[in-house]
Amino acid sequence: MSPRKFLVIADDSPEFQAALRFACRRARSTQGHVALLRVIEPAVFEHWSGVRDEIERQAREEAEAILQKMAEYVVAETGVPPEFIIMHADSTRAALREVISADPSIKILVLAAAVGGRGPGPLVASIAKDGVKWGSRKVPVTVVPGDLTDEEIADLA
């Protein structure tokens, strides 16, 4: 049996940090590890492919830099470097479907609900409405409140 892999979507939302902290705590307590998914949505340039290619190259470099910065935190919390997954996709949900279908070692998807009365967040709302469809795989989704403190996460995870 492979080690438990906790998948976290590395986006720019304020609640991402709560999902990452929770996933790191769970990974540490279960001898698992963390995978960070950064989704790059396609650049819309139909006429100048050179411009589109340059924008996509810059987006990938930016994604790699962001993930490297997050890796420091993951290593400090778990002792294990995270797996980086950078995916070009039309949507985060499409990227999730592809990643989860392709990797049987992903055991849990960790999301954080939005804070400040903005609703649960678009991905959490989409999953609640449409269900979890990852191809033939069934993967539990853990939704943590986006405003959990470090102490509350330590207590729960």
Side-chain angles (χ1 to χ4, degrees), residues 59-72 84 86:
R60 180 154 186 100
E61 285 179 2
E62 179 183 317
E64 289 170 356
I66 289 168
L67 292 176
Q68 283 296 337
K69 185 181 283 190
M70 292 173 192
E72 296 171 17
F84 294 161
I86 300 174

Side-chain angles (χ1 to χ4, degrees), residues 89-101:
D90 290 333
S91 69
T92 300
R93 190 167 174 100
L96 277 171
R97 188 177 307 111
E98 187 174 333
V99 168
I100 291 173
S101 294

Side-chain angles (χ1 to χ4, degrees), residues 34-111:
V34 174
L36 299 172
L37 170 63
R38 184 76 178 188
V39 178
I40 300 172
E41 294 188 10
V44 182
F45 278 96
E46 298 172 4
H47 301 291
W48 300 300
S49 64
V51 173
R52 182 188 63 234
D53 293 346
E54 178 62 18
I55 290 172
E56 288 178 357
R57 185 191 64 73
Q58 289 176 359
R60 180 154 186 100
E61 285 179 2
E62 179 183 317
E64 289 170 356
I66 289 168
L67 292 176
Q68 283 296 337
K69 185 181 283 190
M70 292 173 192
E72 296 171 17
Y73 176 80
V74 174
V75 170
E77 288 295 309
T78 67
V80 179
E83 177 182 341
F84 294 161
I85 304 166
I86 300 174
M87 175 157 284
H88 290 272
D90 290 333
S91 69
T92 300
R93 190 167 174 100
L96 277 171
R97 188 177 307 111
E98 187 174 333
V99 168
I100 291 173
S101 294
D103 188 348
S105 64
I106 295 172
K107 304 297 185 195
I108 297 174
L109 171 61
V110 179
L111 302 174

Side-chain angles (χ1 to χ4, degrees), residues 3 15 24 28 34 36 39-40 47 54 65 81 113 115 125 127 147 156:
E15 55 273 6
C24 286
R28 184 173 61 196
V34 174
L36 299 172
V39 178
I40 300 172
H47 301 291
E54 178 62 18
V115 296
I127 289 171
D147 57 356
L156 292 171

